[in-house]
Amino acid sequence: MTTIVIYHNPECGTSRNTLALIRNSGVEPHVVEYLKTPPARALLIEMMGCAGLTPRQLLREKGTPYAELGLGDELLSDRALIDAMMEHPILINRPLVVTPLGVKLCRPSEAVLDILPDAQRGAFTKEDGEKVIDPSGRRVL
């Protein structure tokens, strides 16, 4: 059985679409609502490394205390940015998905298709009406 973990925010459309794409591959992932249960610091650092992301690349600006905390300062260290994410999990961009094929920040949501081990099982349309997968399970380009 394939184990997939999604660090999810149910209030985020991109996160909901990503979760739906995972389920469309026939897998029920382990869903971690990261605002309620943030990843431990070591796990966050490990996921960033596996995804090839720097702390700044994982940092979310919109709808967060990013500006108030002065996180746009390019002189801030990676440690300081990670400290901010640990104190304010809303600063962690989402959704982060972990599969046997890798770790990825899935923005846009269809980026998850690159790391899903199983094919899509049918058509999929995003919440905004954009068709992503055709009825045969193939990606719409």
Side-chain angles (χ1 to χ4, degrees):
M1 185 165 140
T2 302
T3 301
I4 295 176
V5 179
I6 179 171
Y7 290 86
H8 177 63
N9 179 348
E11 300 300 315
C12 171
T14 301
S15 196
R16 289 191 304 270
N17 283 320
T18 302
L19 177 57
L21 280 163
I22 295 167
R23 288 176 170 155
N24 198 46
S25 74
V27 175
E28 183 56 38
H30 177 70
V31 178
V32 177
E33 289 190 33
Y34 76 98
L35 295 178
K36 294 178 182 176
T37 310
R41 180 186 196 92
L43 178 58
L44 184 65
I45 291 168
E46 180 182 353
M47 287 190 297
M48 280 189 287
C50 290
L53 296 170
T54 66
R56 186 155 303 281
Q57 290 169 322
L58 188 61
L59 199 58
R60 181 170 176 80
E61 295 180 37
K62 183 180 171 187
T64 72
Y66 177 91
E68 300 89 75
L69 296 172
L71 297 176
D73 181 349
E74 294 292 329
L75 297 178
L76 287 173
S77 68
D78 286 352
R79 181 183 183 97
L81 297 177
I82 294 168
D83 287 346
M85 286 187 258
M86 292 291 90
E87 188 171 338
H88 305 278
I90 192 71
L91 289 165
I92 301 170
N93 214 339
R94 78 280 179 156
L96 268 173
V97 177
V98 180
T99 80
L101 300 180
V103 179
K104 193 165 190 89
L105 174 60
C106 295
R107 300 192 72 80
S109 55
E110 55 270 26
V112 76
L113 297 172
D114 297 338
I115 60 168
L116 288 179
D118 300 311
Q120 295 290 289
R121 293 188 170 188
F124 180 80
T125 302
K126 287 183 176 183
E127 291 179 3
D128 67 2
E130 179 185 352
K131 292 184 186 316
V132 178
I133 305 295
D134 71 16
S136 300
R138 290 185 298 252
R139 191 164 180 178
V140 176
L141 298 176

